[in-house]
């Protein structure tokens, strides 16, 4: 068919968390440039199933860039060559006929591979559990806009809240650091009135948890923001650092 | 452990504060050191430089600062090595194909190596000049100068030693390479230190970038040009 492409895929295959994996070659034939990257893998998986080969396991859910599941390191970049998108929003028109595409899972000791391209990102959940929440006693529902918040502050908090927890920041960081992820939540809640009560214990607990999970130290390479599908900026990290210093100097915890 | 040691040893953000504060202190040291080095370019047979050297090695305040400086270099190296080790061990299995150049600067990815080059340079530098001045590796001749108020001072002739060294192609080469490494180190390091300290704002980040050029561009250039001028003079 005209316009359709044939590609060679090099895909990380790993039976389970305990096995050692390796890159395997697969042919992706007759791929439409209008397909999404995940649809392309669906096509390859169909052909693998027909051949009796175990299909490639990969995480996916919404397929519209909002759940953050589709973790893939494509040709040496988190979510592939385009910016501000997730893998499910990447289309095959970003590749050319005959190209070899290498697909690897996120690499970080804090994100162990479960199978093929699927990694365990529960370290992120534990970081959020450590402090990325607000405690609200239930009662009468209050009107949504009863607390006035300045537009600029609301916008900045919203930008931080856009984080989908995909882990591309960790995957792209040379130090496998979760600092951008953490800072998005700390910054969002530090900006909003609802976040004030737990403001200091939050940042301390979350940073301690990041350390415990084995993520690296931020060295400000800024690769995280460059690959972030939601374009979460470096100023959130600066704000988190300020929050941390403030907490260390004055939080009730000894 | 007290809250303080816990913060600066066992939290990533705390460790970076040590890197940033020691790094920025070393930056101010560089500026002062370079201002002094320009005395080498006076065509006065070394009088300005030798008197300056005497002042820098005998003034108690400057001496105290120099001890702080050595301690800070040591802390910077120790923390830098620890951070680099921690970061390497956060990813035991790397990528088969990786393209970090598209998302981060060369300097930011090679800080550990650039720092090690600077450390090697510092060791050579201190052996060449500091140890010579202290009389450990050399016995420098003394010179006598008459000051404006007719007072006579006798000082070590450090200038002739520096002048001699800076006519050796290898020494000049090591200096230039060391300063290139320093330039790259500070291209990332200077502005990074402010980010580590949480200082980022549209109001002053542009100023940090501009002043950063002085530190990663002009200062290393200044250090490197002096041996080159003396060599070719
Ligand atoms: C005159 C000499 C030096 C100056 C002025 C200097 C300055 C700096 C500055 C300002 C930073 C940024 C700190 C931050 O990002 O918060 C930095 C980072 C760093 N320095 Fe140096 N440095 C010097 C020598 C060295 C030496 C000798 C080493 C090691 C052998 C070294 C290793 C490092 C490392 C590994 C980093 C990266 C740490 C990080 O980004 O977290 N530096 N330096
Ligand atoms: S599958 Fe949900 S973001 Fe890609």
């Amino acid at each position: 068919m005209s316009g359709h492409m044939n590609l060679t895929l090099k895909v990380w295959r790993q039976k389970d968390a305990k096995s050692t994996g390796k890159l395997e070659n697969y042919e992706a034939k007759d791929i439409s440039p209008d397909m999404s990257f995940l649809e392309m893998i669906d096509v390859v998986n169909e052909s693998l199933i027909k051949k009796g080969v175990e299909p490639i396991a990969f995480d996916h859910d919404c397929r519209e860039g909002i759940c953050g599941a589709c973790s893939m390191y494509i040709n040496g970049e988190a979510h592939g060559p385009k910016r501000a998108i997730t893998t499910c929003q990447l289309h095959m028109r970003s590749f050319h006929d005959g190209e070899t595409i290498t697909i690897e899972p996120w690499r970080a000791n804090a994100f162990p591979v479960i199978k093929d391209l699927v990694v365990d990102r529960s370290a992120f959940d534990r970081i959020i559990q450590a402090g990325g929440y607000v405690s609200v006693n239930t009662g009468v529902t209050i009107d949504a806009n009863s607390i006035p918040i300045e537009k600029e502050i609301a916008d900045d908090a919203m930008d931080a809240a856009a984080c989908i927890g995909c882990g591309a920041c960790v995957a792209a960081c040379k130090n496998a650091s979760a600092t951008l992820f953490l800072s998005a939540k700390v910054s969002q809640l530090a900006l909003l009135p609802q976040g004030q009560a737990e403001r200091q214990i939050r940042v301390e607990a979350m940073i301690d948890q990041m350390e415990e999970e084995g993520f690296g130290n931020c060295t400000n390479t800024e690769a995280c923001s460059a690959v972030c599908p939601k374009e979460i900026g470096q100023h959130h990290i600066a704000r988190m650092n300020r929050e941390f210093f403030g907490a260390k100097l004055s939080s009730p915890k000894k | 452990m007290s809250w303080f040691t816990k913060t600066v040893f066992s939290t990533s953000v705390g460790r970076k504060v040590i890197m940033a504060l020691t790094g920025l202190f070393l930056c101010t040291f560089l500026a002062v050191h370079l201002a002094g080095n320009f005395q080498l370019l006076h065509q006065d047979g070394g009088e300005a430089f030798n008197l300056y050297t005497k002042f820098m090695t005998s003034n108690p305040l400057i001496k105290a600062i120099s001890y702080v400086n050595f301690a800070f270099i040591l802390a910077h190296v120790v923390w830098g090595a620890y951070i680099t080790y921690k970061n390497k061990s956060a990813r035991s299995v790397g990528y088969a194909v990786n393209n970090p150049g598209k998302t981060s600067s060369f300097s930011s990815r090679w800080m550990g190596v650039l720092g090690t080059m600077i450390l090697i340079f510092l060791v050579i530098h201190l052996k060449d000049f500091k140890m010579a001045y202290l009389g450990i590796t050399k016995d420098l001749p003394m010179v006598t100068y008459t000051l404006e108020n007719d007072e006579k001072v006798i000082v070590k002739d450090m200038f002739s030693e520096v002048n001699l060294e800076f006519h050796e192609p290898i020494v000049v080469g090591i200096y230039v390479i060391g300063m290139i490494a320093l330039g790259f180190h500070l291209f990332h390091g200077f502005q990074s230190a402010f980010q580590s300290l949480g200082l980022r704002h549209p109001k002053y980040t542009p100023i940090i970038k501009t002043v950063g050029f002085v530190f990663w561009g002009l200062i290393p250039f200044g250090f490197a040009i002096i041996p080159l001028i003396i060599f070719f003079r």
Side-chain angles (χ1 to χ4, degrees):
Chain A
M1 230 183 295
S2 74
H4 281 209
M5 311 184 277
N6 294 320
L7 306 152
T8 306
L9 305 186
K10 285 181 173 229
V11 185
W12 185 260
R13 300 305 305 264
Q14 182 171 332
K15 196 161 156 280
D16 51 38
K18 291 196 187 70
S19 320
T20 49
K22 64 173 196 302
L23 288 172
E24 297 270 7
N25 286 357
Y26 299 103
E27 297 304 318
K29 289 221 168 65
D30 210 20
I31 299 298
S32 156
D34 300 327
M35 278 181 192
S36 79
F37 200 84
L38 299 189
E39 285 167 335
M40 182 275 292
I41 297 186
D42 291 337
V43 170
V44 172
N45 273 345
E46 290 289 336
S47 73
L48 291 182
I49 291 167
K50 279 193 195 122
K51 279 190 252 173
V53 179
E54 171 98 8
I56 301 159
F58 64 98
D59 254 333
H60 61 111
D61 187 16
C62 70
R63 297 208 176 198
E64 56 178 5
I66 55 170
C67 77
C70 51
S71 51
M72 287 186 199
Y73 211 75
I74 302 161
N75 280 348
E77 287 177 86
H79 295 308
K82 292 272 150 119
R83 294 289 163 253
I85 56 167
T86 51
T87 304
C88 58
Q89 294 170 300
L90 176 66
H91 285 81
M92 295 316 293
R93 55 180 169 269
S94 302
F95 301 87
H96 58 79
D97 189 30
E99 194 169 341
T100 300
I101 306 176
T102 307
I103 313 171
E104 297 174 81
W106 287 169
R107 295 292 189 194
N109 292 3
F111 286 168
V113 176
I114 300 171
K115 188 179 167 68
D116 298 343
L117 301 173
V118 182
V119 297
D120 178 359
R121 278 171 285 187
S122 54
F124 268 13
D125 299 337
R126 289 188 292 274
I127 289 176
I128 295 295
Q129 280 161 16
Y133 52 80
V134 292
S135 306
V136 182
N137 294 328
T138 49
V140 204
T141 318
I142 23 176
D143 183 64
N145 293 316
S146 61
I147 306 172
I149 300 170
E150 221 178 290
K151 171 94 167 76
E152 280 80 12
I153 291 177
D155 286 349
D156 204 14
M158 187 59 217
D159 287 347
C163 172
I164 52 178
C166 64
C169 45
V170 175
C173 175
K174 84 174 186 39
N175 314 316
S177 175
T179 302
L180 187 67
F181 168 74
L182 225 85
S183 74
K185 192 51 70 194
V186 169
S187 181
Q188 177 208 338
L189 296 178
L191 285 164
L192 298 176
Q194 292 88 341
Q196 298 312 306
E198 286 138 324
R199 186 169 174 177
Q200 293 192 315
I201 53 170
R202 167 180 309 115
V203 64
E204 290 187 312
M206 289 179 79
I207 287 179
D208 283 348
Q209 190 64 34
M210 167 166 76
E211 196 67 30
E212 196 153 306
E213 300 291 348
F215 292 104
N217 304 254
C218 176
T219 59
N220 307 326
T221 70
E222 307 192 359
C224 50
S225 291
V227 300
C228 176
K230 303 301 161 189
E231 300 184 291
I232 291 173
Q234 292 287 308
H235 68 286
H236 295 295
I237 296 184
R239 180 175 294 120
M240 182 188 75
N241 292 350
R242 293 198 297 273
E243 290 292 314
F244 181 72
F245 305 145
K248 277 293 163 203
L249 294 176
S250 65
S251 86
K253 218 177 95 194
K254 264 189 87 178
Chain B
M1 271 193 283
S2 78
W3 68 273
F4 181 78
T5 42
K6 222 175 135 213
T7 304
V8 299
F9 282 116
S10 3
T11 70
S12 60
V13 184
R15 283 182 210 116
K16 285 307 300 284
V17 175
I18 301 292
M19 280 320 271
L21 293 179
T22 53
L24 288 180
F25 181 86
L26 294 178
C27 285
T28 59
F29 158 75
L30 286 180
V32 176
H33 190 335
L34 178 62
N37 282 11
F38 278 125
Q39 318 288 328
L40 282 165
L41 298 181
H42 284 290
Q43 304 261 28
D44 62 354
E47 177 169 352
F49 184 72
N50 282 337
L51 291 175
Y52 168 77
T53 309
K54 175 77 191 160
F55 170 75
M56 291 304 270
T57 49
S58 53
N59 180 297
L61 180 67
I62 306 263
K63 266 170 97 173
I65 294 176
S66 93
Y67 291 129
V68 173
N69 200 32
F70 278 115
F72 275 22
I73 291 176
L74 193 68
H76 190 81
V77 170
V78 170
W79 258 261
Y82 184 51
I83 287 173
T84 307
Y85 161 76
K86 275 268 194 194
N87 289 348
K88 285 264 174 276
S89 36
R91 178 176 289 131
S92 323
V93 183
Y95 294 104
V97 176
N98 204 4
N99 243 327
K102 286 176 79 175
T103 51
S104 61
S105 70
F106 164 84
S107 289
S108 74
R109 280 176 280 121
W110 291 89
M111 289 301 274
V113 172
L114 294 166
T116 308
M117 287 173 72
I118 301 171
L119 183 64
I120 294 169
F121 167 80
L122 280 175
V123 171
I124 297 173
H125 176 64
L126 290 173
K127 189 195 135 291
D128 278 357
F129 295 142
K130 189 91 189 167
M131 307 258 271
Y133 189 79
L134 292 176
I136 299 170
T137 50
K138 287 228 169 105
D139 221 356
L140 297 182
M142 305 301 283
V143 280
T144 309
Y145 296 115
T146 314
L147 301 183
E148 272 172 28
N149 58 2
D150 276 342
E151 192 191 330
K152 282 201 184 349
V153 286
I154 308 173
V155 297
K156 287 191 182 177
D157 189 8
M158 191 62 197
F159 176 80
S160 58
E161 173 64 19
V162 174
N163 196 34
L164 198 71
E165 291 276 359
F166 282 174
H167 280 93
E168 296 280 347
I170 294 181
V171 174
V172 176
I174 289 174
Y175 264 72
V176 172
I177 293 169
M179 289 309 110
I180 291 173
L182 180 66
F184 277 104
H185 194 74
L186 294 182
F187 177 73
H188 176 69
F190 186 79
Q191 50 86 31
S192 167
F194 291 91
Q195 169 79 354
S196 297
L197 297 173
L199 299 171
R200 186 191 195 102
H201 196 283
K203 275 193 286 196
Y204 49 74
T205 296
I207 303 170
I208 294 173
K209 299 244 151 129
T210 311
V211 177
F213 172 67
V214 175
F215 280 91
W216 67 259
L218 299 184
I219 289 186
F221 178 78
F223 275 113
I225 200 77
I226 292 171
L228 286 171
I229 289 174
I230 293 179
F231 185 77
F232 288 108
R233 189 148 73 186

